[in-house]
Amino acid sequence: MHHQSQPKLISGNANLSLARAISRRVSMSRGMSVGLVDARVERFADQEIFVEVYENVRGEDMFIVQSTSNPANDNLMELLIMADALRRSSASRVTGVLPYFGYARQDRRAKARTPISAKLVANMIAASGIDRVLTMDLHAAQIQGFFDIPVDNLYASPVFALDIRHKFKKKLDKVTVVSPDVGGVARARELASRIGCALAIVDKRREKAGEVAEMTVIGDVAGQTCIIVDDICDTAGTLVKAADTLLGEGAKEVHAYITHGVLSGPAVGRITNSAMKSLVITDSIEPSEEVKKADNIRIVPTAPMFAQAILNIWNGTSVSSLFNHEALEAIYEGTY
């Protein structure tokens, strides 16, 4: 058990609203105010990042909340420089809380003379003085092995399961969970088993990066409410085409549950104009005003889960208890 009276949270500029929500949840659980540590994280005129921590953090258990989302390089550098500032200020332990871990899609060499950038980023994070990482829905589970420090990878599927049970409670027998590609089958199967429904797969063939040539549905979706589940939605091209393919196979309606709403470029417009009834994302990435205004995009909060995980790490208790939707039900009480 730590001698500190409470964990200390600090945030970069990537997702301040989530960091504040986490600090509120930690305060509620602790029965005392656990605000974000006062610091400035800003740019010099030449865009170099500068960090100054205004509070004493000597001997403290520090948690840096910072998604490495767009602009990925700026947010990653903020994380590394904040970690260095805390290390040099004699913090006893530094945990990087990365709700979204950028560069995760570069996790292997798909062809010759290409980098494995996810491994490089893992090396940089460990070298900056971060002792452990807390993240959610890594693009590939093996990325945990890229780190030589402990990595706790939380899952959005228990939170999604709660949401689906609430939103579709009268027609769960008519719900089919769909993986938008063969690589995401394990994620989709896991969610399907949580809510006790059928599973289908959309098999896609790519001609070149960013373009999908053809899609085939494996499984019977006729008359079903289809829920596409995936970890990342970037330009939404694949997602919208998968929804059209499912409707073409006789699906009654299509919804999507995606952990990380990257939503680059034309994504929001594509989703708004698509045949999909709704897209549900988490707030792992700070949603833009365009995303907030979109009628068929809904955001579920991750602060209750991250706050509990931070308290469990600080207390030295199990984080894997949060993989269970029954355990999360108590944490999310009042949200649904």
Side-chain angles (χ1 to χ4, degrees), residues 60-206:
E60 297 287 358
D61 197 2
M62 300 298 305
F63 293 83
I64 307 172
V65 182
Q66 178 79 339
S67 281
T68 51
S69 49
N70 185 26
N73 301 333
D74 286 11
N75 288 331
L76 175 61
M77 281 307 295
E78 275 189 17
L79 173 72
L80 302 177
I81 292 168
M82 288 167 78
D84 188 70
L86 294 173
R87 265 278 162 256
R88 293 176 190 278
S89 307
S90 303
S92 71
R93 181 172 69 170
V94 179
T95 300
V97 181
L98 284 67
Y100 171 69
F101 178 74
Y103 282 101
R105 284 173 282 180
Q106 298 183 45
D107 61 337
R108 64 195 185 281
R109 293 187 69 196
K111 47 190 169 189
R113 295 176 295 282
T114 56
I116 305 178
S117 307
K119 169 61 177 158
L120 174 64
V121 170
N123 289 349
M124 289 161 70
I125 287 171
S128 72
I130 288 174
D131 296 295
R132 68 184 303 131
V133 168
L134 173 64
T135 186
M136 181 173 68
D137 272 358
L138 280 171
H139 183 60
Q142 70 265 20
I143 292 172
Q144 290 178 79
F146 292 179
F147 288 88
D148 293 323
I149 54 177
V151 176
D152 290 305
N153 183 29
L154 299 175
Y155 299 102
S157 75
V159 182
F160 286 165
L162 286 177
D163 193 86
I164 292 165
R165 282 173 185 278
H166 178 72
K167 297 287 176 192
F168 301 93
K169 58 185 167 210
K170 291 181 180 162
K171 50 180 178 182
L172 269 177
D173 56 328
K174 285 287 184 186
V175 168
T176 297
V177 172
V178 180
S179 172
D181 53 36
V182 175
V185 171
R187 182 181 293 106
R189 187 190 293 122
E190 204 253 343
L191 181 61
S193 69
R194 279 183 192 276
I195 56 177
C197 67
L199 176 69
I201 302 159
V202 175
D203 180 36
K204 65 181 179 188
R205 313 262 161 97
R206 283 189 193 273

Side-chain angles (χ1 to χ4, degrees), residues 245-295:
T245 305
L246 291 164
L247 290 165
E249 291 288 323
K252 194 173 164 195
E253 55 185 51
V254 179
H255 302 262
Y257 279 74
I258 313 279
T259 308
H260 307 297
V262 177
L263 303 177
S264 312
V268 178
R270 280 176 175 169
I271 290 156
T272 308
N273 299 320
S274 76
M276 259 190 316
K277 282 271 174 137
S278 70
L279 166 65
V280 178
I281 56 173
T282 75
D283 54 0
S284 63
I285 295 170
E286 181 100 64
S288 65
E289 284 307 311
E290 193 187 11
V291 170
K292 288 178 191 169
K293 285 176 187 162
D295 290 337

Side-chain angles (χ1 to χ4, degrees), residues 227-255:
I227 295 176
I228 300 171
V229 60
D230 208 354
D231 63 326
I232 294 172
C233 177
D234 194 347
T235 58
T238 301
L239 186 64
V240 167
K241 192 160 183 180
D244 290 341
T245 305
L246 291 164
L247 290 165
E249 291 288 323
K252 194 173 164 195
E253 55 185 51
V254 179
H255 302 262

